Amino acid sequence: MNSLFLGLIAAVCWGLHDIAVRYLSRSVALLAALLVALFSGLVFQGVVILVRGEWLLPTGPALWYAVAAGVAFLVASVGLYYAFHRGPVRLVSPIIGAFPILSLIFAALDGSPITTDQLATVGLVIAAVAVVAILSDPSEGDIPPRGPTVVFSLISAVGYATTFRLGQLAAETGGEWQSSFATRLTALLLLGAVLLVMRKDIRVGRKAILPLLTMGVLDGIALLSVISAASMAQPEFAAVAASIFGLFTILLARVFLDEQMRLAQWAGCIVAFAGIGYLTL
């Protein structure tokens, strides 16, 4: 097993997770669904950490970075759920999947140089996403206006980029799994508090429980796959392969949800995710 294969496992898991969000959002309250998925992922991560014989939580500054990452992770997840609820997948996935562009900006703010080819790739990705968005026909079926959908997608992309940046800072001193566990725990507790204050009904129905639990585990497996590649030769290949999860989601939406794609949109998606993969190198 090599790092590229692990990255592909992550891409498949995240693709299945996102298409499940799109499907379940039609019949399940979004925040209640997110609560169950967060809990499932948290339990999965906790079991892995305990099996490894390690502490569950980081200490010192790493804990505070992880807590801040948890707030960003909740914002990203809410944005993702609402974006996929509105759809279509062909519009949402390329925008959320473009979060490495923001990671590149964060790196630049930290003093890392940005090369000419990276700037050109960023411009190409933005143009490709714009093509997909412009050609998304808001009059198709019951698809809502695309403006709010784009906003939710952008919120999710910014949230994920911020989560990964803060999570990396936490992992530098607190351990990757411990920091990730603290991040998810923060998101879960914060969402639970919000639902309690809003007095929202958190029942999701019996039929949705198993898919939601599975979604949490899929997310955990994907993260485990990418992290496990760190000790292998050329671990960056895992990140490159995992970055195509959005394209896999689009393919699943075409097959299972019958979401139509124009040729130009297929080209835009492929160019966008190829550019994202290049930026992760």
Side-chain angles (χ1 to χ4, degrees):
M1 184 177 294
N2 55 36
S3 59
L4 181 61
F5 182 69
L6 287 174
L8 290 175
I9 291 176
V12 171
C13 287
W14 274 324
L16 290 170
H17 172 276
D18 289 351
I19 200 66
V21 172
R22 173 63 173 155
Y23 179 76
L24 289 175
S25 66
R26 299 173 175 180
S27 57
V28 180
L30 294 180
L31 295 183
L34 177 57
L35 185 72
V36 176
L38 283 174
F39 176 77
S40 176
L42 184 74
V43 171
F44 175 80
Q45 283 191 304
V47 170
V48 172
I49 294 173
L50 292 175
V51 169
R52 289 161 58 96
E54 301 173 352
W55 294 103
L56 285 176
L57 296 174
T59 58
L63 177 60
W64 297 112
Y65 279 125
V67 168
V71 177
F73 182 62
L74 179 59
V75 171
S77 299
V78 171
L80 181 143
Y81 272 58
Y82 276 94
F84 276 113
H85 171 63
R86 297 176 61 86
V89 171
R90 63 177 177 270
L91 173 62
V92 174
S93 286
I95 297 176
I96 296 179
F99 67 82
I101 294 176
L102 299 172
S103 298
L104 184 66
I105 294 174
F106 288 154
L109 294 175
D110 287 339
S112 299
I114 298 180
T115 63
T116 303
D117 63 317
Q118 288 175 326
L119 288 175
T121 303
V122 168
L124 187 62
V125 170
I126 293 174
V129 171
V131 168
V132 177
I134 291 172
L135 294 179
S136 293
D137 186 359
S139 65
E140 291 183 18
D142 58 351
I143 295 176
R146 61 191 174 205
T149 304
V150 171
V151 171
F152 280 123
S153 301
L154 288 172
I155 289 173
S156 182
V158 173
Y160 280 121
T162 304
T163 299
F164 296 148
R165 178 56 187 152
L166 292 171
Q168 288 170 356
L169 292 174
E172 288 176 0
T173 56
E176 293 171 332
W177 274 105
Q178 289 78 8
S179 298
S180 180
F181 182 85
T183 295
R184 288 180 181 275
L185 179 61
T186 300
L188 179 64
L189 293 177
L190 183 57
L191 178 59
V194 170
L195 291 174
L196 184 62
V197 171
M198 296 176 63
R199 296 183 179 180
K200 288 283 188 178
D201 187 359
I202 61 173
R203 291 176 295 181
V204 295
R206 293 181 180 179
K207 293 183 178 180
I209 291 178
L210 182 58
L212 288 170
L213 293 177
T214 303
M215 285 164 55
V217 174
L218 284 171
D219 187 38
I221 292 174
L223 185 60
L224 175 61
S225 298
V226 175
I227 291 177
S228 298
S231 60
M232 298 181 176
Q234 297 177 305
E236 66 274 10
F237 283 1
V240 172
S243 69
I244 69 169
F245 74 91
L247 185 56
F248 185 59
T249 307
I250 293 172
L251 292 173
L252 288 174
R254 178 66 185 88
V255 173
F256 294 107
L257 302 181
D258 197 29
E259 291 193 2
Q260 301 300 313
M261 291 279 286
R262 302 181 185 181
L263 181 60
Q265 288 178 306
W266 278 116
C269 288
I270 293 172
V271 170
F273 288 108
I276 292 166
Y278 178 79
L279 289 175
T280 61
L281 285 173

